[in-house]
Amino acid sequence: MLIPGRHYKLAFTQSILAFIQVINAAAHYRLDYPDLSLILALVRGGTLARAARLLQVDVSTVFRSVRRLEAALGQPLFEKSRAGYLPTGLAQALAEQAERAEQALEAARVGVELGGEVISGTVRLTCSDSVLQALLLPALARFMPAYPALTLELSTSNDFANLSRRDADIALRLTRTPPEHLVGRNLGNVAYRVCASATYLRSANTDDLASMTWIAPDDFLPDHPTVAWRRQHLPGVVPAYRCNSMLSVTELVRTGLGVAALPDFLIDEHQGLIPLGEPLEGYDTALWLLTRPDCRALRSVVTLFDELGRNLRWR
């Protein structure tokens, strides 16, 4: 017969021993690539069914494998919810490692097929939407097929903080004075001209810019050269349309809603944009290709940086 106090002590001791066994099991368990593939599939799929399709196995196999892996590690990897399987912080970190392993394997496969050295890895690149559409995408189409193992993550932004916060590795920015803590290359000057569509010009007085319907960047771009020019030369003009990107400004001009000062790389007379005069003197800027100093040691970043320097052109 167990004395109550001894019973509680025994139960406590057994719990401690079980806990130690779990820790020892987790410490001695060695993750392998199938484990990482399982985690990555469930993170990407979000449900057992989608993960099973990605892995080309049945749902019960995924369920049992996840339970087995969690038991081996001694901690949960996913939380079950109505939305599906939500990854814990550990699962998310392991999924990121799995993606890197996946990319390394793909690079190795491509290297074997091509019989040579392969540039691989993921490079994060940021630029404005206008630069993306008019300049970056045509450049990528020219050289990216030569780098099948190189992965790009593209984001559109006008913020230099992307590089400072290490959210991006390379940035394309329109500026006269890039931040001193970044390194880069001036790819050339960008001029601006007032433009309109043929449709709009049929009913407008081209001799009086102030009387026209103006389209302009909004407060999201308060220091844009075209904003400074308009305030200096047409102080009485209140834009009828404001947009948070120059690409949107350009599209509104193209549809015949008004006029705007546009960068020369967006002006294409074959697409209905007609310049109304010479470039705005004193308000040009430059396109800078920028990166962080620490990124110059990464072959993937250096390769993309050099290719962009050779392929970005608009004249």
Side-chain angles (χ1 to χ4, degrees):
M1 177 178 178
L2 290 173
I3 300 173
R6 291 180 179 176
H7 173 72
Y8 293 139
K9 184 177 181 180
L10 178 61
F12 178 75
T13 302
Q14 290 174 334
S15 298
I16 291 295
L17 290 173
F19 179 70
I20 292 174
Q21 288 175 346
V22 169
I23 291 180
N24 286 336
H28 289 89
Y29 185 77
R30 296 178 66 86
L31 283 168
D32 55 20
Y33 187 70
D35 293 331
L36 293 178
S37 297
L38 170 69
I39 295 169
L40 182 58
L42 194 47
V43 169
R44 286 174 171 171
T47 66
L48 293 175
R50 285 196 287 267
R53 286 196 294 271
L54 290 172
L55 295 170
Q56 296 183 341
V57 298
D58 56 65
V59 172
S60 61
T61 298
V62 176
F63 177 75
R64 289 194 304 270
S65 298
V66 171
R67 295 291 297 274
R68 173 191 57 77
L69 185 55
E70 289 180 329
L73 296 175
Q75 53 187 307
L77 293 170
F78 296 90
E79 298 176 1
K80 186 70 171 66
S81 73
R82 291 182 178 180
Y85 278 69
L86 303 178
T88 63
L90 175 61
Q92 195 64 53
L94 291 174
E96 292 174 4
Q97 295 294 331
E99 284 189 326
R100 294 189 183 97
E102 185 179 67
Q103 291 165 2
L105 283 175
E106 177 64 13
R109 182 190 65 78
V110 173
V112 170
E113 291 180 356
L114 299 181
E117 191 175 20
V118 175
I119 303 298
S120 64
T122 298
V123 181
R124 299 164 300 172
L125 191 154
T126 180
C127 62
S128 67
D129 56 358
S130 58
V131 170
L132 173 70
Q133 292 292 331
L135 301 178
L136 179 59
L137 293 183
L140 294 179
R142 283 191 288 272
F143 69 81
M144 278 303 291
Y147 300 97
L150 188 61
T151 302
L152 294 189
E153 293 182 359
L154 300 175
S155 66
T156 54
S157 167
N158 294 285
D159 189 4
F160 278 115
N162 285 64
L163 284 176
S164 303
R165 293 193 307 263
R166 299 176 181 269
D167 293 338
D169 306 308
I170 294 176
L172 287 163
R173 291 288 181 252
L174 290 167
T175 181
R176 288 183 175 179
T177 54
E180 293 183 359
H181 65 280
L182 301 178
V183 294
R185 184 184 306 171
N186 184 336
L187 299 181
N189 288 339
V190 175
Y192 296 86
R193 296 186 184 209
V194 177
C195 295
S197 71
T199 301
Y200 178 80
L201 292 177
R202 282 197 288 268
S203 59
N205 179 7
T206 57
D207 295 327
D208 185 9
L209 289 178
S211 68
M212 294 182 169
T213 302
W214 278 85
I215 305 164
D218 63 11
D219 294 338
F220 186 71
L221 299 169
D223 301 320
H224 198 274
T226 62
V227 174
W229 174 85
R230 193 188 72 251
R231 289 173 176 169
Q232 177 69 29
H233 294 274
L234 301 172
V237 167
V238 177
Y241 302 91
R242 294 179 184 270
C243 307
N244 65 356
S245 79
M246 287 305 296
L247 188 62
S248 298
V249 170
T250 304
E251 290 306 313
L252 266 66
V253 173
R254 184 175 287 115
T255 58
L257 292 173
V259 301
L262 302 175
D264 53 11
F265 61 80
L266 288 177
I267 301 172
D268 187 347
E269 295 188 34
H270 298 293
Q271 296 185 11
L273 294 174
I274 302 173
L276 302 186
E278 296 300 314
L280 308 182
E281 186 176 357
Y283 291 90
D284 58 336
T285 185
L287 180 64
W288 280 85
L289 177 62
L290 301 165
T291 187
R292 303 191 312 272
D294 60 292
C295 286
R296 291 182 296 180
L298 302 174
R299 291 187 62 221
S300 55
V301 174
V302 172
T303 298
L304 181 62
F305 189 93
D306 290 342
E307 287 286 10
L308 289 172
R310 287 190 289 267
N311 285 275
L312 279 169
R313 53 181 179 265
W314 59 98
R315 294 185 180 87

